[in-house]
C-alpha cells in the first residue's frame, strides 16, 4: 500500500461502533491529515467477505461523509483478516479481551515502521504529531500549552 505514495498510515480496526467513532474523530482533524500526508485505513472486524463487499457506494445507501473523506482508504487485497486477527490477539494478550470491542489503532510511518499500537479511542492529534516527528526528527510543542489536557 505504501510502495508508491509513501504516505503515513493510521489503521483502525475493530467492530463497527469503534470504526465509526474513530472516523468521526479523524474527521475533526482532517486538515492535519492533508498537511502531513496521512491515510486512515479502517478495517471493520466481524464481517465476512460478502458483507465487506456489499458496502453501499451510491444512491439511498450512501456512506456517511466520515467514510468518504479523501484521506480514508479501504483495505484491499489478501491477508488483512489474518493480519488484523494477529494484531488483535497480541493486543488482547497485553490489555485483555476488551480490545475486541474497543478496537485497535496502528500508526505506520511512510518508511513502513510501526510507530505505535494502541487500544480504544484514537488520540488523533498525538498520532499526527508523532508521525511528523518521525519524519522531521523534531518534537512538536503543543500549540496552546494550557489546553494540553484536551489532547490526551
Amino acid at each position: 500500500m505504501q510502495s508508491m505514495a509513501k504516505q503515513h498510515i493510521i489503521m483502525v480496526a475493530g467492530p463497527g461502533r469503534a470504526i465509526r467513532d474513530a472516523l468521526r474523530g479523524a474527521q475533526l482533524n482532517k486538515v492535519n491529515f492533508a498537511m502531513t500526508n496521512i491515510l486512515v485505513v479502517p478495517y471493520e472486524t466481524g464481517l465476512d467477505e460478502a458483507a465487506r463487499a456489499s458496502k453501499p457506494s451510491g444512491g439511498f445507501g450512501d456512506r456517511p461523509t466520515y467514510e468518504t473523506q479523501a484521506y480514508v482508504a479501504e483495505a484491499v487485497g489478501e491477508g488483512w483478516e489474518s493480519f488484523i486477527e494477529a494484531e488483535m490477539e497480541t493486543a488482547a494478550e497485553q490489555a485483555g479481551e476488551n480490545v475486541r470491542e474497543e478496537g485497535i489503532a496502528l500508526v505506520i510511518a511512510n518508511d513502513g515502521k510501526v510507530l505505535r499500537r494502541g487500544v480504544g479511542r484514537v488520540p488523533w492529534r498525538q498520532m499526527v504529531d508523532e508521525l511528523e516527528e518521525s519524519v522531521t526528527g523534531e518534537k512538536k510543542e503543543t500549540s496552546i500549552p494550557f489546553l494540553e489536557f484536551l489532547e490526551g
Side-chain angles (χ1 to χ4, degrees):
M1 185 185 306
Q2 290 177 294
S3 62
M4 299 301 275
K6 290 293 185 190
Q7 290 177 293
H8 302 299
I9 296 173
I10 299 176
M11 178 154 216
V12 291
R17 179 189 48 76
I19 297 298
R20 280 188 302 278
D21 290 348
L23 290 177
R24 286 178 181 145
Q27 191 171 15
L28 296 174
N29 286 286
K30 65 183 172 185
V31 171
N32 292 336
F33 298 136
M35 290 173 28
T36 52
N37 202 22
I38 295 174
L39 199 57
V40 176
V41 181
Y43 186 89
E44 189 172 345
T45 57
L47 296 179
D48 60 14
E49 287 306 310
R52 199 171 302 287
S54 69
K55 283 215 174 223
S57 61
F60 289 110
D62 270 350
R63 293 169 29 206
T65 58
Y66 57 81
E67 286 185 9
T68 60
Q69 297 294 314
Y71 57 82
V72 176
E74 190 175 333
V76 295
E78 301 292 316
W80 287 106
E81 179 118 11
S82 58
F83 172 73
I84 295 299
E85 182 51 38
E87 288 290 337
M88 283 283 193
E89 191 61 38
T90 300
E93 288 171 10
Q94 296 173 0
E97 284 298 316
N98 62 332
V99 301
R100 296 188 187 282
E101 286 82 43
E102 292 181 33
I104 61 172
L106 301 171
V107 182
I108 306 162
N110 61 2
D111 62 2
K113 180 181 176 191
V114 176
L115 299 179
R116 171 191 279 255
R117 289 174 166 87
V119 175
R121 190 172 122 334
V122 180
W124 291 108
R125 179 169 290 148
Q126 183 180 350
M127 290 186 172
V128 168
D129 289 348
E130 285 181 24
L131 283 166
E132 196 172 311
E133 182 182 334
S134 78
V135 171
T136 64
E138 296 177 11
K139 185 160 180 63
K140 184 175 179 182
E141 295 298 320
T142 303
S143 54
I144 307 174
F146 64 90
L147 293 179
E148 280 182 335
F149 70 94
L150 292 175
E151 296 181 0

